Amino acid sequence: MNDLTTVSSAMDSREIAALTGKNHADVCRDIRSMLDALEVDESIFASVYRGGNGEDRRCYILPKRECLILASGYNVKLRAAIIDRWAELETANAPKLPATYAEALRLAADQAERIEAQALQLEHQAPAVAFVDRYVEA
């Protein structure tokens, strides 16, 4: 897990360090300082990753609000880099709406097929479920 990891609704402190050109240890120190000032338990955002030497190391996974609060303490260029990255994350994870009526119909048809397949699967599994229910009751 040595690579940068980003969850759709959070940013890893290693990615913040990479975006800002700061040392990861300094970013972690800034995060601890910020959370202390906000009177927030740092363990809420704490995580662990395996370093290059195989040791477990601490990192932080911050949601957008805390990430932007942290960035507000940095200079304009560093703040801009973090804010731009959040814009990318939000764009990448935004639901894609159909642009045309035909696309909407295809999407609806695909969903209907998935629902029918799931209903068929449930129907085929019904005897096994009934057996397990009888077994549990006995």
Side-chain angles (χ1 to χ4, degrees), residues 11-68:
M11 196 179 296
D12 188 306
S13 56
R14 295 173 292 162
E15 182 172 15
I16 295 168
L19 287 168
T20 59
K22 293 172 99 24
N23 289 324
H24 183 244
D26 294 335
V27 170
C28 288
R29 180 202 61 222
D30 295 343
I31 290 171
R32 285 189 298 274
S33 176
M34 173 194 71
L35 294 174
D36 186 49
L38 293 172
E39 299 178 354
V40 174
D41 181 6
E42 74 177 67
S43 67
I44 295 170
F45 302 108
S47 186
V48 176
Y49 71 99
R50 190 159 315 276
N53 61 358
E55 292 180 359
D56 286 345
R57 296 186 179 174
R58 178 166 281 214
C59 67
Y60 294 90
I61 309 292
L62 297 180
K64 183 176 182 178
R65 176 182 180 269
E66 283 71 16
C67 210
L68 295 179

Side-chain angles (χ1 to χ4, degrees), residues 120-135:
L120 186 60
Q121 186 178 13
L122 288 173
E123 186 179 317
H124 287 315
Q125 293 174 347
V129 171
F131 170 78
V132 170
D133 286 343
R134 285 192 308 272
Y135 178 79

Side-chain angles (χ1 to χ4, degrees), residues 107-119:
L107 179 63
D110 290 345
Q111 283 182 311
E113 287 176 356
R114 278 194 300 275
I115 290 169
E116 288 173 6
Q118 290 170 346

Side-chain angles (χ1 to χ4, degrees), residues 63-73 79 82-83 86:
K64 183 176 182 178
R65 176 182 180 269
E66 283 71 16
C67 210
L68 295 179
I69 292 170
L70 176 70
S72 69
R79 198 165 44 241
I82 290 174
I83 291 169
W86 268 106

